[in-house]
Amino acid sequence: MRIDVVSIFPEYLAPLDLSLIGKAREAGLLDVRVHDLRAWTTDRHHTVDDTPAGGGAGMVMRADVWGTALDEVLGSDGGTGGAPDAAPGRAPVLVIPTPSGESFTQRTAEDLATADHLVVACGRYEGIDARVAESYRAAGVDVRELSIGDYVLNGGEVAALVIVEAVGRLVPGVVGNPESLVEESYGAAGLLEYPVYTRPVSWRDLEVPEVLFSGHHAKIARWRRDRALERTALRRPDLVRALAEQGRLDRKDRETLTLAGWSDPVD
Ligand code: JB8
């Protein structure tokens, strides 16, 4: 997968050289390139922003600078999908982090992981002139304006790091043991993960729960699901309600939730 990130602070993206994503780059699984938006400015002061139309606080990033940059970075697949005689591949995806976007979730990451080419446009100030998203959408680019959560950052760079890591680790081969992709929070179960333990068996008078040494796999699985249900009920009641609505709580699940003091109507 090819990933281009465009920013006025390319140094902010330095963590992409590290750890999992850095190794995947070295292994040739991810081709990640970071670009300085100011390379596409033509004026003496390398201006990327201007005052907001209609007035108001702050500055807005100029559509013309972004357009020049994105035309080049999207390249030949920037239009409706590649060279005239190329196989009709998936449209390139233009990701624009913004607090006004749709929620970025594990489902979004799974979807983006099937793309061949992601371009992430990192805004600053009050964001990017809205015509940029509109124009590329009209040109056949799959434009996704995405929010990584209900809080406000100073720009899109940290959100880009989050999105590239969450998507990159789903690209086949990037995570060594694909088993670890399956058993995670927001995975199949729709619950938070159960608590995990390792040695030492006793630490500061705290013991690893006995059942985990029983060798009884069904018992261990049930214990883990009960602990997952309890912590999900406490921390993310919205997830428990969603499972209840989808009829994905069995009798024992409902019993565990009742014992944990869950009093919402679950069916
Ligand atoms: C200017 O909170 B955020 C976020 C904030 C931003 C921009 C992009 C994303 C651009 N402020 O995720």
Side-chain angles (χ1 to χ4, degrees):
M1 176 188 284
R2 165 84 181 253
I3 305 177
D4 291 277
V5 185
V6 185
S7 162
I8 60 167
F9 294 121
E11 337 68 277
Y12 234 110
L13 285 306
L16 295 177
D17 294 336
L18 304 174
S19 188
L20 191 78
I21 300 300
K23 291 215 173 70
R25 291 170 78 174
E26 285 165 24
L29 295 165
L30 296 177
D31 179 7
V32 183
R33 302 185 198 186
V34 179
H35 311 269
D36 185 346
L37 177 69
R38 292 194 202 274
W40 286 279
T41 57
T42 51
D43 65 312
R44 258 181 358 109
H45 296 104
H46 303 292
T47 309
V48 295
D49 61 337
D50 208 334
T51 54
M59 298 291 270
V60 174
M61 298 192 98
R62 293 174 61 102
D64 52 358
V65 176
W66 273 109
T68 310
L70 294 174
D71 282 352
E72 183 172 331
V73 169
L74 284 161
S76 54
D77 61 351
T80 44
D85 56 350
R90 178 168 171 180
V93 181
L94 174 58
V95 172
I96 307 178
T98 165
S100 317
E102 294 177 4
S103 296
F104 175 75
T105 67
Q106 192 64 23
R107 300 292 86 76
T108 321
E110 287 164 3
D111 175 33
L112 296 182
T114 67
D116 302 313
H117 190 190
L118 297 186
V119 176
V120 187
C122 301
R124 281 269 150 178
Y125 318 110
E126 303 307 311
I128 301 172
D129 186 308
R131 292 171 294 178
V132 172
E134 185 185 340
S135 162
Y136 286 98
R137 210 167 263 137
V141 175
D142 182 6
V143 178
R144 307 285 183 89
E145 294 174 86
L146 298 175
S147 165
I148 63 159
D150 292 340
Y151 40 77
V152 180
L153 305 172
N154 282 330
E157 286 77 9
V158 168
L161 289 173
V162 168
I163 292 166
V164 170
E165 180 156 322
V167 171
R169 65 193 291 286
L170 298 180
V171 170
V174 172
V175 167
N177 175 10
E179 286 270 309
S180 53
L181 294 177
V182 183
E183 280 199 21
E184 295 170 340
S185 295
Y186 308 104
L191 293 170
L192 303 183
E193 269 297 73
Y194 50 78
V196 295
Y197 304 86
T198 186
R199 283 178 282 274
V201 167
S202 181
W203 177 75
R204 297 189 180 178
D205 276 349
L206 298 170
E207 310 301 320
V208 173
E210 194 67 42
V211 64
L212 300 178
F213 301 109
S214 67
H216 193 312
H217 298 300
K219 241 183 173 168
I220 292 169
R222 186 66 245 178
W223 183 88
R224 286 176 165 167
R225 184 164 175 92
D226 288 342
R227 301 295 82 73
L229 283 160
E230 286 170 359
R231 63 158 53 158
T232 308
L234 282 169
R235 300 174 183 180
R236 293 293 306 276
D238 57 314
L239 296 182
V240 175
R241 265 177 237 115
L243 283 178
E245 275 168 31
Q246 298 162 33
R248 292 169 64 199
L249 296 174
D250 66 18
R251 241 190 141 67
K252 183 65 175 70
D253 291 341
R254 293 196 298 266
E255 187 186 309
T256 299
L257 288 168
T258 303
L259 284 170
W262 179 266
S263 55
D264 263 41
V266 294
D267 50 5

